[in-house]
mmCIF file of all heavy atoms in Angstrom:
data_model
loop_
_atom_site.group_PDB
_atom_site.id
_atom_site.type_symbol
_atom_site.label_atom_id
_atom_site.label_comp_id
_atom_site.label_asym_id
_atom_site.label_seq_id
_atom_site.Cartn_x
_atom_site.Cartn_y
_atom_site.Cartn_z
ATOM 1 N N VAL F 275 60.919 -146.098 157.501
ATOM 2 C CA VAL F 275 61.689 -144.894 157.642
ATOM 3 C C VAL F 275 62.659 -144.724 156.482
ATOM 4 O O VAL F 275 62.910 -143.704 156.019
ATOM 5 C CB VAL F 275 62.449 -144.973 158.966
ATOM 6 C CG1 VAL F 275 63.240 -143.746 159.228
ATOM 7 C CG2 VAL F 275 61.509 -145.143 160.126
ATOM 8 N N VAL F 276 63.262 -145.868 156.027
ATOM 9 C CA VAL F 276 64.168 -145.822 154.895
ATOM 10 C C VAL F 276 63.441 -145.335 153.650
ATOM 11 O O VAL F 276 64.019 -144.599 152.871
ATOM 12 C CB VAL F 276 64.827 -147.203 154.729
ATOM 13 C CG1 VAL F 276 65.579 -147.165 153.320
ATOM 14 C CG2 VAL F 276 65.699 -147.512 155.809
ATOM 15 N N ALA F 277 62.225 -145.770 153.498
ATOM 16 C CA ALA F 277 61.329 -145.374 152.292
ATOM 17 C C ALA F 277 61.132 -143.850 152.295
ATOM 18 O O ALA F 277 61.410 -143.148 151.295
ATOM 19 C CB ALA F 277 60.107 -146.209 152.279
ATOM 20 N N LEU F 278 60.746 -143.318 153.421
ATOM 21 C CA LEU F 278 60.451 -141.879 153.551
ATOM 22 C C LEU F 278 61.716 -141.150 153.408
ATOM 23 O O LEU F 278 61.657 -140.020 152.809
ATOM 24 C CB LEU F 278 59.767 -141.561 154.882
ATOM 25 C CG LEU F 278 59.049 -140.188 155.024
ATOM 26 C CD1 LEU F 278 58.100 -139.978 153.848
ATOM 27 C CD2 LEU F 278 58.296 -140.107 156.264
ATOM 28 N N LEU F 279 62.858 -141.491 153.990
ATOM 29 C CA LEU F 279 64.099 -140.811 153.785
ATOM 30 C C LEU F 279 64.520 -140.817 152.295
ATOM 31 O O LEU F 279 65.027 -139.851 151.815
ATOM 32 C CB LEU F 279 65.163 -141.422 154.741
ATOM 33 C CG LEU F 279 65.034 -141.143 156.270
ATOM 34 C CD1 LEU F 279 66.135 -141.900 156.928
ATOM 35 C CD2 LEU F 279 65.156 -139.630 156.518
ATOM 36 N N GLY F 280 64.331 -142.053 151.701
ATOM 37 C CA GLY F 280 64.790 -142.022 150.259
ATOM 38 C C GLY F 280 63.860 -141.178 149.480
ATOM 39 O O GLY F 280 64.315 -140.519 148.407
ATOM 40 N N LEU F 281 62.557 -141.096 149.744
ATOM 41 C CA LEU F 281 61.607 -140.165 149.056
ATOM 42 C C LEU F 281 62.084 -138.771 149.173
ATOM 43 O O LEU F 281 62.084 -137.961 148.229
ATOM 44 C CB LEU F 281 60.211 -140.412 149.554
ATOM 45 C CG LEU F 281 59.221 -139.428 148.973
ATOM 46 C CD1 LEU F 281 59.032 -139.664 147.498
ATOM 47 C CD2 LEU F 281 57.873 -139.692 149.672
ATOM 48 N N GLY F 282 62.386 -138.341 150.449
ATOM 49 C CA GLY F 282 62.850 -137.010 150.710
ATOM 50 C C GLY F 282 64.171 -136.643 149.923
ATOM 51 O O GLY F 282 64.299 -135.599 149.342
ATOM 52 N N ALA F 283 65.068 -137.622 149.987
ATOM 53 C CA ALA F 283 66.347 -137.315 149.196
ATOM 54 C C ALA F 283 66.092 -137.214 147.680
ATOM 55 O O ALA F 283 66.762 -136.275 147.152
ATOM 56 C CB ALA F 283 67.377 -138.554 149.539
ATOM 57 N N ALA F 284 65.391 -138.106 147.125
ATOM 58 C CA ALA F 284 65.123 -138.038 145.647
ATOM 59 C C ALA F 284 64.349 -136.746 145.357
ATOM 60 O O ALA F 284 64.673 -136.068 144.337
ATOM 61 C CB ALA F 284 64.395 -139.214 145.212
ATOM 62 N N GLY F 285 63.342 -136.418 146.172
ATOM 63 C CA GLY F 285 62.631 -135.094 145.903
ATOM 64 C C GLY F 285 63.498 -133.963 146.116
ATOM 65 O O GLY F 285 63.423 -132.951 145.320
ATOM 66 N N GLY F 286 64.261 -133.877 147.133
ATOM 67 C CA GLY F 286 65.190 -132.737 147.259
ATOM 68 C C GLY F 286 66.177 -132.649 146.077
ATOM 69 O O GLY F 286 66.478 -131.469 145.692
ATOM 70 N N TRP F 287 66.779 -133.748 145.690
ATOM 71 C CA TRP F 287 67.735 -133.661 144.490
ATOM 72 C C TRP F 287 66.979 -133.199 143.340
ATOM 73 O O TRP F 287 67.556 -132.246 142.566
ATOM 74 C CB TRP F 287 68.261 -135.027 144.260
ATOM 75 C CG TRP F 287 69.010 -135.196 142.990
ATOM 76 C CD1 TRP F 287 68.504 -135.662 141.785
ATOM 77 C CD2 TRP F 287 70.415 -134.883 142.810
ATOM 78 N NE1 TRP F 287 69.571 -135.582 140.802
ATOM 79 C CE2 TRP F 287 70.787 -135.115 141.449
ATOM 80 C CE3 TRP F 287 71.467 -134.466 143.624
ATOM 81 C CZ2 TRP F 287 71.964 -135.039 140.945
ATOM 82 C CZ3 TRP F 287 72.725 -134.311 143.014
ATOM 83 C CH2 TRP F 287 72.926 -134.526 141.803
ATOM 84 N N ALA F 288 65.723 -133.613 142.995
ATOM 85 C CA ALA F 288 65.046 -133.035 141.814
ATOM 86 C C ALA F 288 64.694 -131.645 141.977
ATOM 87 O O ALA F 288 64.942 -130.851 140.901
ATOM 88 C CB ALA F 288 63.771 -133.983 141.620
ATOM 89 N N ALA F 289 64.312 -131.128 143.044
ATOM 90 C CA ALA F 289 64.038 -129.747 143.309
ATOM 91 C C ALA F 289 65.197 -128.853 143.128
ATOM 92 O O ALA F 289 65.136 -127.769 142.533
ATOM 93 C CB ALA F 289 63.356 -129.507 144.684
ATOM 94 N N LEU F 290 66.352 -129.263 143.793
ATOM 95 C CA LEU F 290 67.551 -128.479 143.764
ATOM 96 C C LEU F 290 68.068 -128.468 142.264
ATOM 97 O O LEU F 290 68.563 -127.469 141.814
ATOM 98 C CB LEU F 290 68.622 -129.023 144.655
ATOM 99 C CG LEU F 290 68.237 -128.867 146.141
ATOM 100 C CD1 LEU F 290 69.354 -129.566 147.013
ATOM 101 C CD2 LEU F 290 68.248 -127.424 146.527
ATOM 102 N N ARG F 291 67.998 -129.595 141.598
ATOM 103 C CA ARG F 291 68.550 -129.629 140.149
ATOM 104 C C ARG F 291 67.681 -128.678 139.267
ATOM 105 O O ARG F 291 68.143 -128.099 138.337
ATOM 106 C CB ARG F 291 68.429 -131.035 139.606
ATOM 107 C CG ARG F 291 69.508 -131.890 140.284
ATOM 108 C CD ARG F 291 70.834 -131.827 139.544
ATOM 109 N NE ARG F 291 70.766 -132.537 138.277
ATOM 110 C CZ ARG F 291 71.271 -132.025 137.133
ATOM 111 N NH1 ARG F 291 71.886 -130.833 137.149
ATOM 112 N NH2 ARG F 291 71.170 -132.713 136.031
ATOM 113 N N ARG F 292 66.384 -128.605 139.518
ATOM 114 C CA ARG F 292 65.547 -127.759 138.753
ATOM 115 C C ARG F 292 65.751 -126.225 139.028
ATOM 116 O O ARG F 292 65.664 -125.453 138.062
ATOM 117 C CB ARG F 292 64.048 -128.154 138.998
ATOM 118 C CG ARG F 292 63.032 -127.367 138.139
ATOM 119 C CD ARG F 292 61.723 -127.877 138.269
ATOM 120 N NE ARG F 292 61.592 -129.197 137.731
ATOM 121 C CZ ARG F 292 61.359 -129.429 136.517
ATOM 122 N NH1 ARG F 292 61.146 -128.449 135.638
ATOM 123 N NH2 ARG F 292 61.219 -130.656 135.991
ATOM 124 N N LEU F 293 65.955 -125.899 140.305
ATOM 125 C CA LEU F 293 66.087 -124.533 140.678
ATOM 126 C C LEU F 293 67.425 -123.901 140.560
ATOM 127 O O LEU F 293 67.741 -122.668 140.604
ATOM 128 C CB LEU F 293 65.564 -124.323 142.022
ATOM 129 C CG LEU F 293 64.050 -124.608 142.234
ATOM 130 C CD1 LEU F 293 63.605 -124.427 143.739
ATOM 131 C CD2 LEU F 293 63.205 -123.671 141.309
ATOM 132 N N GLY F 294 68.472 -124.707 140.591
ATOM 133 C CA GLY F 294 69.847 -124.157 140.547
ATOM 134 C C GLY F 294 70.947 -125.126 141.003
ATOM 135 O O GLY F 294 71.447 -125.795 140.137
ATOM 136 N N PRO F 295 71.213 -125.149 142.278
ATOM 137 C CA PRO F 295 70.630 -124.642 143.415
ATOM 138 C C PRO F 295 71.174 -123.239 143.861
ATOM 139 O O PRO F 295 70.539 -122.509 144.556
ATOM 140 C CB PRO F 295 70.767 -125.619 144.563
ATOM 141 C CG PRO F 295 72.062 -126.160 144.234
ATOM 142 C CD PRO F 295 72.223 -126.285 142.693
ATOM 143 N N LEU F 296 72.364 -122.944 143.384
ATOM 144 C CA LEU F 296 72.984 -121.598 143.631
ATOM 145 C C LEU F 296 72.231 -120.531 142.803
ATOM 146 O O LEU F 296 72.375 -120.607 141.575
ATOM 147 C CB LEU F 296 74.442 -121.546 143.505
ATOM 148 C CG LEU F 296 75.245 -122.352 144.494
ATOM 149 C CD1 LEU F 296 76.771 -122.136 144.277
ATOM 150 C CD2 LEU F 296 74.954 -121.966 145.832
ATOM 151 N N VAL F 297 71.634 -119.601 143.426
ATOM 152 C CA VAL F 297 70.804 -118.631 142.757
ATOM 153 C C VAL F 297 71.140 -117.236 143.354
ATOM 154 O O VAL F 297 71.163 -117.109 144.637
ATOM 155 C CB VAL F 297 69.241 -118.855 142.871
ATOM 156 C CG1 VAL F 297 68.620 -117.772 142.166
ATOM 157 C CG2 VAL F 297 68.865 -120.226 142.282
ATOM 158 N N ILE F 298 71.463 -116.269 142.436
ATOM 159 C CA ILE F 298 71.689 -114.940 142.944
ATOM 160 C C ILE F 298 70.568 -114.033 142.219
ATOM 161 O O ILE F 298 70.053 -114.429 141.115
ATOM 162 C CB ILE F 298 73.074 -114.459 142.557
ATOM 163 C CG1 ILE F 298 73.346 -114.576 141.086
ATOM 164 C CG2 ILE F 298 74.159 -115.123 143.417
ATOM 165 C CD1 ILE F 298 74.724 -113.966 140.605
ATOM 166 N N GLY F 299 70.365 -112.963 142.780
ATOM 167 C CA GLY F 299 69.300 -112.004 142.147
ATOM 168 C C GLY F 299 69.749 -111.649 140.752
ATOM 169 O O GLY F 299 70.904 -111.495 140.382
ATOM 170 N N ARG F 300 68.717 -111.237 139.996
ATOM 171 C CA ARG F 300 69.025 -110.741 138.638
ATOM 172 C C ARG F 300 69.802 -109.487 138.570
ATOM 173 O O ARG F 300 70.666 -109.334 137.697
ATOM 174 C CB ARG F 300 67.710 -110.612 137.836
ATOM 175 C CG ARG F 300 67.148 -112.001 137.410
ATOM 176 C CD ARG F 300 65.857 -111.883 136.626
ATOM 177 N NE ARG F 300 64.828 -111.453 137.628
ATOM 178 C CZ ARG F 300 63.535 -111.357 137.165
ATOM 179 N NH1 ARG F 300 63.198 -111.588 135.932
ATOM 180 N NH2 ARG F 300 62.636 -111.015 137.971
ATOM 181 N N PRO F 301 69.581 -108.497 139.516
ATOM 182 C CA PRO F 301 70.535 -107.486 139.478
ATOM 183 C C PRO F 301 71.962 -107.772 139.775
ATOM 184 O O PRO F 301 72.930 -107.217 139.127
ATOM 185 C CB PRO F 301 69.868 -106.508 140.670
ATOM 186 C CG PRO F 301 68.513 -106.879 140.704
ATOM 187 C CD PRO F 301 68.460 -108.308 140.430
ATOM 188 N N ASP F 302 72.157 -108.790 140.798
ATOM 189 C CA ASP F 302 73.568 -109.184 141.001
ATOM 190 C C ASP F 302 74.112 -109.925 139.815
ATOM 191 O O ASP F 302 75.306 -109.766 139.492
ATOM 192 C CB ASP F 302 73.546 -110.086 142.198
ATOM 193 C CG ASP F 302 73.205 -109.392 143.504
ATOM 194 O OD1 ASP F 302 73.175 -108.168 143.411
ATOM 195 O OD2 ASP F 302 73.020 -110.117 144.522
#
């Protein structure tokens, strides 16, 4: 369980760091 939670935490951090995470539309 610790392994899967750690994998989810690391993957979530990487995805959020790549996408923003705060994103507003280009018109805004």
